[in-house]
């Protein structure tokens, strides 16, 4: 299969200037995207993958690529389309239907789709590892050399189970916002919207936790996350759902909101989360920090709480050695609408004003919870829906972070809110913001913020080598549109060298679309770009998906291996690669766990939710409608 590469050499960020696209050297420029093929990536997955062994159809897998890749994203766009177990007490009133057949069951935006997790375990050269497999069993083990063990399963959230049993859409709290263009292309951005949840706090039917935005593995735990509700704990092998998690009890109330972001401090081997309880008059920020065993750090019991001004809709943050960094866009709140219905599209609008940068001392810092707020100079583009790729502190105390910014592209057509959404480039541009890559430098002592544009190209899902997380990084990897600075869907993979200004890219065929690139380290190599880049690739012509593997130090040459996933995985969001030994399971271990998970669900064990903190069984407050809805 042919591929297309693009290389460029431009001015270095280290020299303090934006990358100069006039210096670009280009071979085989990408073709415009096949938008009909792209729109095919928004179709419900009706069949899960319990456990399957996959072999590359092109190339071969490196023997030093060992670990498990996870990715999260929405996969059900027609509500209640996975039938419950045969012995369920509540039978759906309507069976699953193909997308588009019953529009009353279709979500109005892909972000409202129920979340699912893809897991692919790379076994490397050895197919027999230490653990459950002993010498006597070795003869019966499956040969996994050069193969991948694949799983794909929905997260059994409360909302998912409710709609699955009823066989219809029950949660419509965001539909008015999705049909409203007041937020422009940023508010309802097709790739990841600024309006992510209803503004009524707590556990309620207006705020549907789809757990579809991020999968993160740390301390032998796998969590799926969504902005506005608790994360869900998922079995790392079988992907079965354990239930909502209060992170070992550090989150005191189940109605507390959590973000969909988590950042690992690679130097200290810690992970940080945050949540914001949003109110129009003022919002409460909670920051949580855990050690390598996923226990709250001893200092301040691993948590700090502080107040933010006004309605704080903040969906990402950065972590440095000593601080957490938040960027809060300015919002104009319609007090009457907020009081009456709390619909985000009617209650909150982005202001053309300076955003607020909050620098907060981490829970382990001696000044834990101390906050300094600095205004970011306004340049005509609101700092809303910012994706912070990585942040760190320089030797002189300057805080540096790179981020993808979103600007209103002038679209926002109401006609684009109906499935299949982006079947034409015009529809996509009407629902998508203009994105660009920027570097921010903050002098906390002087209270100054400067920013410099690295690239105006349409970029998505920026990442770094996870071993540089919260540390100085040199390289950024991102998904890129095929039309340069023009608004187009994520399709190729691009790499930026921030020291030299060099850039290289690879683009697949016009009907193929990559997702978030994920760095996977190569065993025995500790360089910043000596590993591999993994990404799902959706083939919209054949409606199938693959995992592509590229060399991180030679992105332009394209994939060295393509592994079929076995199903068409919809366009998703964020994931991770777990390279630790505890994420290197054998095929037999995964298969046994997957069979157990299937058996538990068949017997109905998964229908009485177990708290993921293992504190007991029982119904939740928002489970009442699920069990007694017909009587209420």
């Amino acid at each position: 299969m042919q591929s297309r590469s693009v290389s460029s050499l431009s001015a270095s960020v280290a020299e303090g200037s934006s990358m100069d696209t006039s210096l670009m050297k280009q071979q085989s420029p990408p073709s415009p995207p096949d938008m009909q093929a792209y729109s095919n990536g928004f179709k419900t997955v009706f069949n899960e993958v319990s456990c399957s062994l996959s072999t590359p159809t092109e190339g071969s897998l490196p023997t030093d690529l060992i670990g498990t890749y996870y990715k999260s994203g929405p996969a059900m766009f027609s509500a209640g389309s996975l039938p419950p177990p045969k012995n369920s007490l509540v039978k759906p009133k309507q069976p699953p239907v193909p997308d588009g057949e019953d529009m009353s069951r279709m979500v109005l935006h892909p972000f409202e789709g129920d979340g699912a997790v893809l897991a692919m375990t790379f076994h490397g050269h050895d197919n027999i590892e230490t653990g459950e497999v002993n010498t006597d069993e070795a003869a019966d083990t499956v040969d996994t050399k050069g193969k991948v063990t694949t799983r794909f399963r929905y997260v059994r959230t409360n909302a998912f189970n409710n709609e699955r049993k009823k066989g219809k859409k029950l949660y419509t709290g965001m539909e008015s916002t999705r049909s409203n263009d007041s937020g422009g292309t940023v508010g309802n951005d097709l790739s990841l919207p600024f309006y992510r949840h209803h503004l009524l706090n707590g556990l309620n039917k207006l705020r549907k936790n789809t757990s579809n935005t991020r999968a993160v593995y740390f301390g032998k735990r796998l969590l799926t996350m969504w902005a506005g509700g608790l994360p869900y704990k998922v079995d790392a092998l079988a992907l079965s759902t354990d239930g909502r998690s209060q992170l070992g009890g550090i989150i005191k109330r189940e109605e507390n909101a959590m973000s969909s972001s988590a950042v690992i401090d690679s130097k200290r081997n810690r992970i940080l989360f945050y949540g914001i309880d949003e109110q129009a008059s003022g919002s409460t920020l909670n920051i949580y920090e855990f050690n390598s065993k996923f226990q709250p750090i001893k200092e301040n019991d691993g948590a700090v709480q502080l107040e933010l001004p006004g309605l704080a809709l903040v969906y990402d943050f950065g972590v440095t050695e000593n601080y957490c960094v938040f960027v809060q866009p300015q919002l104009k709140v319609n007090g009457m609408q907020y009081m009456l219905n709390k619909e985000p599209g009617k209650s909150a609008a982005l202001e053309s004003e300076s955003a607020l940068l909050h620098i907060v001392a981490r829970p382990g810092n001696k000044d834990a919870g101390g906050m300094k707020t600095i205004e970011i100079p306004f340049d005509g583009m609101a700092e809303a829906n910012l994706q912070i790729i990585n942040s760190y502190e320089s030797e002189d105390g300057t805080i540096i972070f790179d981020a993808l910014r979103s600007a209103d592209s002038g679209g926002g057509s109401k006609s684009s809110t109906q499935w299949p959404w982006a079947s034409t480039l015009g529809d996509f541009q009407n629902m998508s913001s203009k994105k660009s890559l920027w570097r921010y430098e903050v002098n906390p002592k002087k209270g100054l913020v400067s920013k410099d544009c690295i690239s105006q190209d349409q970029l998505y899902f920026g990442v770094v080598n996870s071993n540089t997380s919260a540390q100085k990084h040199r390289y950024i990897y991102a998904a890129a549109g095929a039309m340069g600075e023009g608004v187009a869907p994520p399709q190729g993979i691009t790499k930026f060298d921030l020291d030299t200004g060099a850039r290289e890219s690879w683009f697949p065929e016009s009907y193929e679309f990559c997702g978030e690139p994920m760095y996977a380290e190569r065993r025995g190599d500790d360089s910043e770009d000596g590993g591999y880049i993994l990404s799902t690739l959706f083939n919209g012509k054949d409606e199938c998906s693959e995992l592509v593997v590229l060399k991180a130090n030679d992105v332009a040459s394209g994939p060295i291996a393509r592994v079929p996933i076995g199903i068409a995985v919809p366009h998703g969001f964020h994931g991770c690669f777990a390279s630790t030994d505890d994420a290197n399971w054998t095929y037999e271990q995964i298969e046994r766990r997957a069979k157990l998970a299937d058996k538990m669900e068949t017997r109905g064990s998964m229908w009485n939710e177990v708290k993921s903190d293992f504190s007991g069984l029982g119904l939740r407050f928002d489970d009442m409608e699920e069990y007694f809805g017909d009587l209420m």
Side-chain angles (χ1 to χ4, degrees):
M1 182 174 293
Q2 294 182 347
S3 62
R4 297 161 288 166
S5 64
V6 177
S7 327
S8 68
L9 186 64
S10 47
S12 172
V13 171
E15 296 173 358
S17 59
S18 300
M19 287 196 167
D20 185 357
T21 56
S22 66
L23 297 177
M24 180 173 289
K25 299 177 181 178
Q26 179 171 303
Q27 301 87 29
S28 302
S31 304
D34 181 340
M35 293 306 298
Q36 183 60 55
Y38 176 76
S39 69
N40 286 337
F42 295 117
K43 291 186 178 181
T44 294
V45 177
F46 292 95
N47 297 296
E48 299 174 303
V49 179
S50 178
C51 180
S52 175
L53 203 59
S54 304
T55 303
T57 54
E58 291 187 24
S60 59
L61 292 173
T63 59
D64 50 12
L65 174 57
I66 302 173
T68 300
Y69 166 77
Y70 296 102
K71 183 180 180 180
S72 181
M76 184 174 293
F77 309 106
S78 177
S81 289
L82 194 70
K86 294 180 180 179
N87 63 336
S88 173
L89 293 176
V90 181
K91 300 296 183 182
K93 297 179 180 179
Q94 301 178 50
V97 296
D99 292 332
E101 183 173 300
D102 183 354
M103 296 307 292
S104 69
R105 293 175 67 165
M106 300 300 298
V107 298
L108 296 191
H109 191 286
F111 186 68
E112 306 305 325
D114 291 291
V117 181
L118 170 69
M120 302 186 76
T121 298
F122 296 82
H123 302 285
H125 181 77
D126 298 322
N127 63 308
I128 300 176
E129 304 289 342
T130 58
E132 296 183 23
V133 181
N134 59 40
T135 306
D136 294 334
E137 296 173 329
D140 297 325
T141 59
V142 175
D143 181 12
T144 58
K145 182 178 179 180
K147 300 177 183 178
V148 179
T149 302
T150 301
R151 294 87 77 200
F152 183 88
R153 196 183 291 264
Y154 282 102
V155 183
R156 268 57 169 178
T157 66
N158 288 352
F160 174 91
N161 285 339
N162 291 347
E163 292 184 328
R164 186 183 183 189
K165 291 181 178 182
K166 297 293 185 181
K168 62 180 181 180
K169 182 167 60 177
L170 302 176
Y171 301 87
T172 59
M174 288 295 291
E175 294 200 346
S176 174
T177 292
R178 298 304 178 213
S179 302
N180 189 325
D181 63 355
S182 61
T185 56
V186 176
N188 285 320
D189 200 336
L190 188 65
S191 62
L192 204 55
F194 175 65
Y195 296 137
R196 300 198 188 179
H197 57 253
H198 198 277
L199 297 180
L200 179 64
N201 286 311
L203 303 175
N204 58 79
K205 291 183 68 174
L206 295 176
R207 184 177 283 205
K208 179 186 179 183
N209 185 346
T210 56
S211 205
N212 68 3
T213 310
R214 186 181 302 273
V216 58
Y217 182 88
F218 185 83
K220 300 183 180 182
R221 290 192 186 189
L222 176 64
L223 299 173
T224 59
M225 307 179 70
W226 175 84
L230 291 180
Y232 273 76
K233 187 184 176 193
V234 175
D235 183 80
L237 282 80
L239 302 186
S240 54
T241 304
D242 291 336
R244 287 195 304 260
S245 175
Q246 292 175 240
L247 301 183
I250 195 172
I251 304 174
K252 301 305 180 185
R253 299 179 301 142
E254 285 191 277
E255 58 267 29
N256 282 137
M258 287 289 289
S259 77
S260 58
S261 184
V263 178
I264 293 174
D265 179 341
S266 60
K267 185 177 181 180
R268 298 181 185 176
N269 197 19
R270 294 179 176 180
I271 190 168
L272 291 93
F273 303 87
Y274 78 94
I276 300 179
D277 296 317
E278 305 143 347
Q279 297 289 344
S281 57
S283 302
T284 303
L285 169 66
N286 295 282
I287 302 174
Y288 310 101
E289 185 167 347
F290 297 83
N291 63 21
S292 60
K293 297 181 179 180
F294 220 122
Q295 299 168 339
I297 63 172
K298 294 181 180 179
E299 298 87 347
N300 299 293
D301 295 324
V304 295
Q305 183 179 92
L306 56 153
E307 300 301 314
L308 300 180
L311 184 64
L313 300 184
V314 180
Y315 301 118
D316 206 355
F317 75 132
V319 172
T320 70
E321 183 177 356
N322 296 294
Y323 304 103
C324 294
V325 179
F326 302 86
V327 176
Q328 179 183 349
Q330 299 277 22
L331 299 174
K332 181 179 180 180
V333 177
N334 184 318
M336 183 61 70
Q337 290 291 337
Y338 183 84
M339 181 177 65
L340 291 175
N341 54 59
K342 293 183 172 57
E343 295 177 6
K346 296 180 179 179
S347 303
L350 287 168
E351 292 272 52
S352 296
E353 295 181 6
S354 297
L356 302 178
L357 176 71
H358 304 300
I359 304 170
V360 183
R362 286 169 51 172
N365 191 307
K366 64 178 181 179
D367 300 318
M371 180 174 74
K372 182 165 187 175
T373 299
I374 306 171
E375 284 194 2
I376 300 176
F378 183 65
D379 58 4
M381 181 167 55
E383 260 97 6
N385 226 16
L386 208 69
Q387 187 218 328
I388 298 180
I389 299 169
N390 193 38
S391 54
Y392 62 93
E393 295 173 50
S394 64
E395 293 181 359
D396 63 1
T398 300
I399 295 175
I400 299 170
F401 64 94
D402 295 328
L404 291 175
R405 299 178 68 183
S406 299
D408 192 344
S409 63
S413 171
K414 294 181 181 180
S415 63
S416 297
T417 61
Q418 295 293 325
W419 181 88
W421 300 296
S423 56
T424 70
L425 186 58
D427 282 345
F428 181 86
Q429 292 173 340
N430 280 338
M431 291 189 69
S432 303
S433 65
K434 173 69 184 79
K435 302 187 185 302
S436 49
L437 175 61
W438 292 72
R439 166 157 288 189
Y440 293 73
E441 297 194 10
V442 185
N443 187 322
K445 293 181 179 179
K446 295 182 178 180
L448 298 176
V449 181
S450 64
K451 48 189 170 182
D452 181 61
C453 182
I454 298 173
S455 174
Q456 286 285 358
D457 280 2
Q458 186 78 1
L459 302 171
Y460 305 82
F461 308 126
V463 301
V464 297
N465 179 336
S466 61
N467 289 328
T468 66
S469 180
Q471 307 297 317
K472 187 179 187 301
H473 61 278
R474 175 176 176 177
Y475 303 107
I476 289 176
Y477 307 88
M483 299 176 62
E485 296 183 12
V487 176
Q491 190 159 19
I493 304 295
T494 193
K495 173 188 178 182
F496 293 90
D497 184 334
L498 302 178
D499 284 358
T500 67
R503 175 183 175 183
E504 58 177 315
S505 303
W506 170 78
F507 287 87
E509 299 298 328
S510 62
Y511 51 83
E512 296 177 320
F513 301 87
C514 289
E516 176 188 54
M518 184 53 56
Y519 187 91
E521 72 176 60
R522 181 166 65 92
R523 287 293 176 99
D525 184 284
D526 59 0
S527 63
E528 192 175 337
D529 70 340
Y532 305 99
I533 296 297
L534 312 180
S535 177
T536 56
L537 181 144
F538 176 76
N539 181 326
K541 183 174 71 173
D542 297 334
E543 296 193 32
C544 61
S545 293
E546 300 172 298
L547 187 80
V548 292
V549 182
L550 298 83
K551 289 185 176 180
N553 56 14
D554 189 14
V555 169
S557 293
I560 60 173
R562 288 174 173 250
V563 183
I565 296 174
I567 58 173
V569 178
H571 307 299
F573 299 133
H574 300 290
C576 64
F577 182 78
S579 60
T580 54
D581 289 335
D582 57 65
N584 180 25
W585 305 283
T586 65
Y587 173 82
E588 288 76 17
Q589 290 172 314
I590 297 170
E591 183 186 41
R592 282 197 295 270
R593 189 73 64 85
K595 287 181 177 179
L596 177 62
D598 291 340
K599 183 179 293 185
M600 288 177 65
E601 180 153 337
T602 300
R603 292 179 177 178
S605 300
M606 298 298 293
W607 293 87
N608 189 17
E609 184 186 1
V610 183
K611 276 195 173 185
S612 62
D613 298 316
F614 305 106
S615 58
L617 301 174
L619 300 180
R620 307 296 184 85
F621 178 77
D622 60 345
D623 288 337
M624 298 302 290
E625 192 277 340
E626 174 181 346
Y627 288 89
F628 307 111
D630 292 337
L631 303 176
M632 297 175 67

